[in-house]
Amino acid sequence: PPAPSMGTGPAAGNVHRHHTSVTVPDKEEQMTTLAALTTPCLLLEDEKLQANMDRLARRLHERGVSLRPHLKTCKNIEIARRCMESPSGPATVSTLAEAEYFAAGGVHDICYAVGIAPNKLERVAELRRRGIDLSVVLDNEESARLLVDFARQRDCRLAVLLEIDCDGHRAGLRPDDPRLTAIAALLRDGGQEVRGVLTHAGSAYDLPTTEAIAALAVQECAAANTAARLLREAGFPCPVVSVGSTPTAFFGEDFSGITEVRAGVYVFQDLVMAGLGVCRPEDLALSVLTTVIGRQSDGSALIIDAGWMALSRDTGLPWKREEFGYGLVCDEAGKLIPGLRVTETNQEHGIVSGPSCPALPAGSRLRILPIHACATAACFDSYTVLREGRISGRLERCRGW
């Protein structure tokens, strides 16, 4: 039979729309039901996935800024094609394995948004030799010199974004740091392309109110625009001014001067995003199907076959740990069971408890909503895709660095 359609690309104004399809199971696999799946198993609800993608694409289109989705969350080419503006990009990745995988799938405009390690430059150069417009990120003179030396030896030209620290969260130069123009000059004089600036408001995950996140979105854009202005005043064109995190993408209002927004977890959403007010638990497209394997001796908790090897040990937002635990619990159909959560995780065992834990028999199926979708999905090689509650196919996940 023909492959079922997985939907269309970003529903934002006149952006390019295109159809893709899932990998279709063979005849025997098409008869598989949720009850027959081996657990733990990563489930992806297609309707929720599409709604999440459409929501952010529409929001950014209304504010006149482009989306460069971060594919570190989905790690799959079919899903990527649905959230990118075109089959060739633009896209963001967090590993060169992702860059190579998506390049093989026809994505040509890729930003590798992690500070470049010198031992990875050969792979970067190889991708660029193949016609992939891959840009890299750095924030210090030492890395810039190593990149220039490498490019001179290989007779190649690399595209570089300078990382800006907008909130003291992790890496990057302060937007008014004089080293910004010094590094740009070092790269330019070494024959390399200074493409622009990039920042990430990672501290959004530490803010308990939407008002605080909205204020951080203003700060994020201001930092990127300040750095871009200083570069331009020093004679660098700075065509790319890139910002992004899922919370600031949803709560930012004014993206003036910004050329693109990067976000990744929005395609699935997770309980961290729900705790920040970005979405509701009901919006989560991803869940882990698990089986009850027993009860604790006092009968107060269920034991399931999904431990931290399937759920991760990410505890998410500190102020939501008591409420969310290591994941909220749904029935097999995906309906939340009030009060139930995963309270403990061992390697292959999870403990489910709550104020009135039901006496479910061994063999019962449950679904666990992830705290951090990226971390949970990383435990699996593939997704089992559901459409209208039925299995419609499976999708691979890229692995490695």
Side-chain angles (χ1 to χ4, degrees):
S5 170
M6 278 290 282
T8 54
N14 294 320
V15 295
H16 181 82
R17 296 176 67 88
H18 44 90
H19 294 270
T20 59
S21 61
V22 298
T23 301
V24 181
D26 60 29
K27 188 172 182 179
E28 180 179 352
E29 287 180 313
Q30 287 186 50
M31 299 171 63
T32 300
T33 64
L34 286 181
L37 291 174
T38 299
T39 57
C41 178
L42 188 64
L43 303 180
L44 177 59
E45 295 183 68
D46 185 72
E47 295 88 351
K48 293 181 179 181
L49 170 71
Q50 191 64 51
N52 290 336
M53 291 191 294
D54 288 348
R55 182 180 165 215
L56 183 59
R58 188 162 46 243
R59 186 177 199 279
L60 295 181
H61 177 75
E62 290 169 352
R63 286 157 181 80
V65 64
S66 294
L67 172 63
R68 180 183 285 273
H70 205 319
L71 306 181
K72 68 173 183 176
T73 301
C74 71
K75 292 181 184 275
N76 171 268
I77 187 62
E78 284 89 349
I79 298 172
R81 288 172 182 150
R82 293 169 63 179
C83 61
M84 297 184 302
E85 292 183 355
S86 80
S88 61
T92 311
V93 299
S94 62
T95 71
L96 286 179
E98 292 167 19
E100 291 156 350
Y101 166 78
F102 288 113
V107 183
H108 294 154
D109 179 0
I110 303 174
C111 173
Y112 173 38
V114 176
I116 185 65
N119 62 3
K120 297 176 181 177
L121 288 171
E122 189 63 64
R123 291 166 70 189
V124 172
E126 174 57 27
L127 282 165
R128 289 183 63 83
R129 279 193 291 269
R130 288 164 42 196
I132 306 303
D133 186 13
L134 178 67
S135 57
V136 299
V137 172
L138 57 81
D139 67 353
N140 61 83
E141 295 96 328
E142 187 174 11
S143 292
R145 289 193 184 93
L146 290 169
L147 184 147
V148 167
D149 290 345
F150 170 88
R152 184 178 293 117
Q153 293 166 12
R154 299 299 192 281
D155 191 25
C156 63
R157 190 166 190 256
L158 307 182
V160 182
L161 293 164
L162 300 180
E163 185 170 6
I164 305 303
D165 175 11
C166 67
D167 58 0
H169 168 65
R170 189 171 56 201
L173 296 158
R174 297 301 299 173
D176 57 353
D177 192 321
R179 290 178 296 171
L180 183 67
T181 53
I183 294 170
L186 191 161
L187 291 166
R188 179 193 58 194
D189 296 346
Q192 306 308 300
E193 177 189 355
V194 181
R195 183 162 289 182
V197 296
L198 172 150
T199 191
H200 168 63
S203 63
Y205 298 89
D206 301 324
L207 302 176
T209 69
T210 57
E211 293 80 9
I213 298 171
L216 179 60
V218 173
Q219 180 178 316
E220 179 185 37
C221 291
N225 278 320
T226 295
R229 176 178 55 81
L230 292 176
L231 282 173
R232 289 168 182 150
E233 288 174 352
F236 300 95
C238 199
V240 175
V241 184
S242 181
V243 304
S245 75
T246 289
T248 55
F250 275 104
F251 293 119
E253 291 296 338
D254 184 359
F255 294 96
S256 299
I258 303 302
T259 63
E260 62 183 33
V261 171
R262 306 178 324 280
V265 76
Y266 78 96
V267 297
F268 297 151
Q269 302 291 15
D270 57 23
L271 291 175
V272 167
M273 292 300 109
L276 293 172
V278 171
C279 66
R280 306 166 303 164
E282 294 81 3
D283 298 323
L284 273 60
L286 209 63
S287 61
V288 175
L289 183 68
T290 184
T291 302
V292 175
I293 57 177
R295 292 180 66 84
Q296 291 195 324
S297 57
D298 62 1
S300 64
L302 299 171
I303 305 173
I304 59 174
D305 66 351
W308 56 258
M309 288 288 284
L311 303 175
S312 89
R313 222 169 205 166
D314 199 318
T315 54
L317 305 169
W319 63 92
K320 288 287 186 179
R321 285 175 189 166
E322 183 64 27
E323 180 182 351
F324 290 162
Y326 292 97
L328 293 182
V329 182
C330 302
D331 64 17
E332 185 177 3
K335 182 179 179 181
L336 275 165
I337 303 175
L340 278 195
R341 66 195 186 283
V342 179
T343 50
E344 297 178 43
T345 56
N346 301 120
Q347 184 165 330
E348 303 295 351
H349 297 75
I351 307 300
V352 171
S353 60
S356 55
C357 189
L360 297 177
S364 300
R365 296 299 184 101
L366 298 169
R367 290 199 215 174
I368 311 302
L369 298 181
I371 295 292
H372 183 181
C374 302
T376 296
C379 301
F380 296 86
D381 293 318
S382 65
Y383 308 94
T384 295
V385 182
L386 305 182
R387 175 172 284 179
E388 298 179 351
R390 298 174 62 85
I391 296 172
S392 65
R394 289 179 178 80
L395 294 173
E396 67 177 359
R397 280 179 51 82
C398 165
R399 304 296 292 270
W401 287 268

